Amino acid sequence: MKNFAQISGALQYIDSHLDEPITLEMLAEKFFLSPYYFHKLFSAIVGKPLAAYIRDRRVLHACRQLCQTEKTILDIALDCGFHSPPSFSRTFKELQGISPSAYRVKGCQPVIPSTEELIMKFTNRLKGGVLLNPTIIKRGTILIAGTHGDGNKTGEVWGAFETLYAEKPLDNTLSTDGYEIRLYEGDTCTVYVGYPVREKGNIDPAYSVLELPACEYASFDVYVSNGYESENSAMDEWLKTNSEGYTERLLQEGTHYCVEYYDERFNGSEAGSIVEIWIPIEKVS
């Protein structure tokens, strides 16, 4: 998929430039993504933020040099992108549990997965079309103006919204990114679709308005062409097995819900098209 190819290219670039400064903005520009989406995509696929991945990779390559060369620790630190021996030694000990010199004495032989092996591993995190490594995000109150209806007839509800919006455009939209909120009560699913707005005032009464409370969400990237229908079981599995202790958060009246978020990465059922699905979460103390 295109997105995996971009991240694979970024991983290869990182390995080839460990001795140089590498920034989020630089990589995002190189691979034709905004910094925000590059960071989100990288973290979702790789399972850690860019800075943490670069740090870990630099230390792994330093391990190899410590065992396979006679370079000084200063030279190895500089070769792997660290600005000083103290910084290198501190980071190395945090990750390896011992100092660089002690590691060299032990004669360990580190295993460094190739970028091809890594991207294969990350690809295997897909279950159907869902990347099983969500990003945890925080969102304030979300106010959506649009239309609502039967959750089994979502296409019709979107069609009604597009017709309404063409006739009576909203004046206070925050963006034209699409939101689809699905509310579950027993066997009944009601769907609200529309755009985010700043406030309830001055909205034509023809619109349905839904307000969601500020919340933390597990945000899953769903690759539409790879099995959109598989998302429910994959997300349920994550809720049951995640090591951070997150559980599903319900609305005050006990209603289950989720948010589908459509931005410029969504392109129908074409390959590479992505929808984000946000599951409301909380940690119960």
Side-chain angles (χ1 to χ4, degrees):
M1 287 178 286
K2 179 182 177 182
N3 292 312
F4 281 86
Q6 289 171 301
I7 297 305
S8 178
L11 298 181
Q12 291 170 345
Y13 181 89
I14 290 167
D15 268 7
S16 300
H17 297 81
L18 289 174
D19 60 334
E20 303 173 11
I22 303 172
T23 67
L24 170 64
E25 290 74 18
M26 172 199 307
L27 288 175
E29 182 178 359
K30 184 174 182 64
F31 293 97
F32 308 105
L33 293 167
S34 72
Y36 171 81
Y37 283 119
F38 182 87
H39 170 73
K40 188 171 180 61
L41 185 64
F42 189 96
S43 297
I45 291 177
V46 175
K48 63 181 71 173
L50 175 67
Y53 175 82
I54 294 173
R55 175 205 63 198
D56 294 354
R57 204 68 175 167
R58 282 175 166 155
V59 168
L60 273 178
H61 281 267
C63 288
R64 173 179 286 172
Q65 292 193 41
L66 285 166
C67 295
Q68 298 181 0
T69 75
E70 296 182 357
K71 290 182 179 180
T72 66
I73 289 178
L74 172 59
D75 285 342
I76 291 173
L78 296 175
D79 283 349
C80 295
F82 292 93
H83 300 302
S84 67
S87 171
F88 170 56
S89 295
R90 183 174 59 253
T91 303
F92 191 96
K93 190 169 185 179
E94 286 177 1
L95 295 181
Q96 297 296 327
I98 57 176
S99 68
S101 56
Y103 189 94
R104 170 169 268 170
V105 170
K106 285 183 68 175
C108 304
Q109 292 297 324
V111 176
I112 305 181
S114 68
T115 54
E116 291 77 15
E117 290 171 326
L118 286 174
I119 205 67
M120 180 63 70
K121 173 185 174 184
F122 303 146
T123 304
N124 288 339
R125 288 181 182 167
L126 281 170
K127 182 174 183 179
V130 184
L131 191 61
L132 291 178
N133 194 31
T135 302
I136 306 303
I137 61 175
K138 293 182 179 180
R139 292 291 181 267
T141 300
I142 298 174
L143 191 63
I144 301 298
T147 55
H148 75 282
D150 186 342
N152 295 315
K153 300 178 180 179
T154 307
E156 294 179 13
V157 181
W158 272 109
F161 169 69
E162 291 168 359
T163 298
L164 176 60
Y165 186 75
E167 295 174 351
K168 300 177 179 180
L170 291 163
D171 295 327
N172 63 343
T173 54
L174 292 169
S175 75
T176 54
D177 291 341
Y179 282 76
E180 180 176 308
I181 294 93
R182 307 184 73 82
L183 308 176
Y184 298 93
E185 297 180 274
D187 295 330
T188 302
C189 175
T190 302
V191 64
Y192 284 76
V193 308
Y195 293 152
V197 293
R198 294 183 181 83
E199 54 188 17
K200 295 179 182 179
N202 301 321
I203 296 177
D204 191 287
Y207 282 93
S208 300
V209 178
L210 177 67
E211 183 174 329
L212 296 178
C215 187
E216 208 167 14
Y217 295 93
S219 173
F220 294 84
D221 283 353
V222 178
Y223 291 80
V224 180
S225 64
N226 281 58
Y228 197 100
E229 71 283 352
S230 66
E231 78 272 11
N232 288 336
S233 62
M235 294 175 195
D236 287 345
E237 178 182 331
W238 180 84
L239 281 169
K240 293 175 183 176
T241 62
N242 76 87
S243 59
E244 293 86 356
Y246 287 110
T247 60
E248 183 183 6
R249 177 178 174 178
L250 308 183
L251 294 176
Q252 284 187 345
E253 58 273 22
T255 301
H256 296 262
Y257 74 102
C258 69
V259 178
E260 296 189 16
Y261 173 66
Y262 299 82
D263 59 16
E264 68 269 16
R265 296 177 301 162
F266 176 70
N267 191 21
S269 59
E270 292 189 10
S273 179
I274 294 177
V275 173
E276 287 182 31
I277 297 187
W278 303 350
I279 303 299
I281 54 174
E282 61 184 350
K283 287 185 178 180
V284 179
S285 57

